[in-house]
Amino acid sequence: MRILIAEDDFYSRKLMMAYLSPFGECDVAVNGVEAWEAFLDAHDAGTPYSLICLDIMMPEMDGQEALKKMRDEEDRRQIERHKKAKIIMITALDEMKAIMASYHSLCDGYLMKPINHAMVVEQLKECGVI
């Protein structure tokens, strides 16, 4: 499985890589623009990501905007729903339910910081990735 981790915090990136690397090849992006570019490059190369973990609060382009652009691009490419990337949003925000409700249909799940290994594995199971 190809995995993209988009997280601006160094420690959080390292932690997510440690949790996710047993499940597949991990690439990282430090902001939403890098995540968007990696997403496009992967599709253009014919090796799209199966799983994308997007931090909601990132510089240059936040996770919400990156999520919308990714889903719009998958629709533009006419990718069938079951073949689209599973996208998990990551946040430290207290208003998670309100935020998730605004774009619930676009993402497949979410994780609240602080994140631990059991939370990640449970979310992967809920999303049907493992």
Side-chain angles (χ1 to χ4, degrees):
M1 163 167 57
R2 294 201 66 227
I3 302 165
L4 176 62
I5 300 164
E7 170 66 64
D8 62 321
D9 178 71
F10 176 77
Y11 175 75
S12 296
R13 272 195 312 274
K14 283 189 63 118
L15 195 62
M16 289 301 291
M17 285 201 57
Y19 294 157
L20 292 171
S21 60
F23 300 105
E25 172 192 343
C26 294
D27 291 333
V28 296
V30 298
N31 60 52
V33 172
E34 279 189 10
W36 169 239
E37 290 170 353
F39 175 86
L40 289 176
D41 289 347
H43 273 280
D44 291 344
T47 55
Y49 292 103
S50 303
L51 173 65
I52 300 171
C53 296
L54 283 175
D55 186 19
I56 288 179
M57 302 287 290
M58 290 187 291
E60 298 188 39
M61 178 190 301
D62 66 27
Q64 294 179 47
E65 185 179 347
L67 170 66
K68 181 166 182 359
K69 288 176 72 95
M70 290 173 183
R71 290 305 191 208
D72 287 348
E73 182 66 17
E74 286 175 327
D75 289 343
R76 190 186 72 72
R77 292 178 186 240
Q78 299 180 337
I79 297 171
E80 298 172 34
R81 178 66 188 138
H82 69 281
K83 292 183 179 179
K84 290 182 179 183
K86 297 292 185 188
I87 300 179
I88 298 173
M89 303 303 290
I90 303 170
T91 188
L93 301 175
D94 293 334
E95 310 88 15
M96 193 62 224
K97 289 184 181 179
I99 292 168
M100 291 308 297
S102 68
Y103 55 91
H104 176 71
S105 63
L106 298 177
C107 70
D108 299 286
Y110 67 92
L111 290 166
M112 291 283 294
K113 293 178 183 176
I115 296 168
N116 63 46
H117 185 262
M119 292 167 62
V120 172
V121 171
E122 180 62 28
Q123 191 59 235
L124 295 179
K125 288 178 182 177
E126 286 181 19
C127 290
V129 177
I130 60 169

